[in-house]
Amino acid sequence: MDLSIGEVAERSGLSVHALRFYEREGLFANPVRRLPNGRRIYHEEDLEWLAICTKLRSSGMSLAMIRQYVELVRQGPGNELERLELLRRHESDVEAQIGELREALDVMRHKVRIYEDHVARGEADRLWNPSHRDAARTGPHQECRPSEGA
């Protein structure tokens, strides 16, 4: 079944502009076909491919790396080990990002607990307030020390 660019945009969640960008960047596994009047036509497998590409992109894969993956796919059978290596490298990068995000989440949770505690005690003005008289005694970075009260 042929799909228009508007239908693909609606079904994929991508804008028409983004679809044109993906085409210009060579990110479709199959070339986008056109009718004699120049209108783009897509197929279901293009939607499936877009779903993969958008996940790769949202996971932080660079356009250059996606383009490299697309080129390997277009070449067909025989380069599966290269594709696997590319995907493994990105998997490792994503795992590292997840680790960093977990650390950031731990810091945020700690800060939330500190703020909740200080607000509940009516001492919120002591948080990150270097002009406060007790700043020299308590230090303006009190809320940043994960070891306190965590």
Side-chain angles (χ1 to χ4, degrees), residues 1-13 16 19 23 28 31-35 37-50:
M1 176 172 114
D2 291 346
L3 301 167
S4 70
I5 195 168
E7 291 169 320
V8 172
E10 184 178 319
R11 289 181 56 188
S12 69
V16 168
L19 291 170
E23 181 183 359
F28 280 92
V32 175
R33 293 160 296 281
R34 292 182 182 256
L35 296 172
N37 64 7
R39 290 191 142 178
R40 293 168 175 86
I41 55 169
Y42 301 87
H43 296 285
E44 289 293 326
E45 80 177 26
D46 294 320
L47 279 170
E48 293 168 16
W49 182 256
L50 281 170

Side-chain angles (χ1 to χ4, degrees), residues 20-94:
R20 289 182 182 136
F21 173 79
Y22 272 50
E23 181 183 359
R24 273 193 316 274
E25 291 295 316
L27 302 180
F28 280 92
N30 296 311
V32 175
R33 293 160 296 281
R34 292 182 182 256
L35 296 172
N37 64 7
R39 290 191 142 178
R40 293 168 175 86
I41 55 169
Y42 301 87
H43 296 285
E44 289 293 326
E45 80 177 26
D46 294 320
L47 279 170
E48 293 168 16
W49 182 256
L50 281 170
I52 292 168
C53 278
T54 56
K55 288 299 178 196
L56 293 175
R57 190 70 184 121
S58 69
S59 70
M61 186 179 275
S62 69
L63 290 175
M65 197 173 212
I66 294 173
R67 203 175 298 112
Q68 182 182 3
Y69 181 66
V70 170
E71 286 303 315
L72 291 169
V73 169
R74 285 181 185 161
Q75 291 170 16
N79 60 25
E80 291 80 9
L81 290 177
E82 290 175 75
R83 293 184 217 178
L84 177 60
E85 182 54 36
L86 185 145
L87 292 171
R88 280 185 175 153
R89 273 195 327 260
H90 186 63
E91 178 184 37
S92 177
D93 292 346
V94 170

